[in-house]
Amino acid sequence: MTDLCSEDLATIYAKPTPRVIAKARPAIDVHAKKFIEMSPFCVLATSGTDGSVDASPRGGGIGFVHVVGPNQLLMPDRAGNNRIDSFRNVVEGSGFVHLLFFVPGIDETLRVGGRGTLSADPDLLASMVEFGKPPRAVLSVAVNEVYFHCGKALMRSKLWAPEKVQRSVMPSISQVIHDQTSLGEPESQEIVEERYKTQL
């Protein structure tokens, strides 16, 4: 396999149209705001001091990411695995973040980029109680780029199609990690899901 170089790309891909370039906006408009307020899930991407990139799933109730204004988002952080790779990148790395928002049933996605900072202000945390708990921290994003992605990727994948994979085709995450590390005791999917319900 031969690796492509920058010059090769120009022979494979046509230049983006002016419309594609122009759709990248410097702020959250009425359409992007509505999309974010309908979204229960996004992927957060950050970059570290060593050039590494982290991408992690984030979710909550519909509209869990708060649109404060055309250039600011607030995202509460809920219980996770405590690796905090994303947040280390925010405070120690470049500080640049990108969010990719999904809305179930809509094939288009929304990308939002900017610079992130973290807060654990008690009043701010208290204003974002969900699932009976305040977040542990809040990510504030100073937004400088917003644009919609077309729906081709989700249409190809049929992500929202009613046909679902049965969870039983994969072992529980507990079993997977036990097999990979020999640490902890393997648990059934039912036990894992019941524990998750207390940790949301």
Side-chain angles (χ1 to χ4, degrees):
M1 184 176 75
T2 303
D3 293 340
L4 297 177
C5 66
S6 178
E7 290 75 17
D8 295 326
L9 296 179
T11 68
I12 298 172
Y13 296 96
K15 288 184 178 180
T17 65
R19 189 179 187 193
V20 168
I21 299 299
K23 74 176 183 176
R25 311 308 298 165
I28 299 166
D29 69 358
V30 62
H31 302 296
K33 183 175 185 289
K34 182 175 183 179
F35 198 91
I36 293 167
E37 290 174 344
M38 293 190 298
S39 175
F41 176 80
C42 67
V43 176
L44 168 65
T46 59
S47 57
T49 55
D50 60 354
S52 62
V53 176
D54 179 75
S56 64
R58 303 294 165 128
I62 291 171
F64 76 103
V65 175
H66 301 250
V67 180
V68 178
N71 292 101
Q72 187 183 16
L73 293 179
L74 295 176
M75 183 174 70
D77 182 53
R78 307 293 171 190
N81 59 19
N82 293 322
R83 283 183 55 118
I84 56 174
D85 297 315
S86 298
F87 285 173
R88 287 191 193 284
N89 286 347
V90 168
V91 300
E92 299 174 0
S94 70
F96 292 120
V97 303
H98 266 87
L99 296 162
L100 188 62
F101 288 94
F102 295 76
V103 174
I106 296 179
D107 287 330
E108 289 75 23
T109 54
L110 178 70
R111 180 168 164 173
V112 178
R115 187 173 287 273
T117 55
L118 290 175
S119 175
D121 177 77
D123 291 337
L124 181 59
L125 301 184
S127 73
M128 295 189 174
V129 172
E130 190 177 14
F131 309 108
K133 303 172 185 175
R136 299 175 299 174
V138 174
L139 172 67
S140 176
V141 180
V143 174
N144 59 27
E145 185 180 49
V146 182
Y147 62 92
F148 282 94
H149 284 281
C150 75
K152 293 174 188 172
L154 271 67
M155 290 174 71
R156 292 184 193 111
S157 67
K158 299 181 180 177
L159 187 63
W160 308 132
E163 300 81 21
K164 302 273 191 298
V165 172
Q166 294 299 310
R167 183 60 185 83
S168 58
V169 302
M170 279 287 292
S172 72
I173 187 67
S174 174
Q175 182 67 59
V176 169
I177 294 173
H178 175 76
D179 291 347
Q180 292 172 337
T181 68
S182 298
L183 297 175
E185 293 299 322
E187 298 172 319
S188 69
Q189 184 62 24
E190 291 75 18
I191 291 173
V192 171
E193 288 181 3
E194 284 303 312
R195 186 174 69 254
Y196 281 170
K197 291 175 183 177
T198 68
Q199 298 173 345
L200 293 175

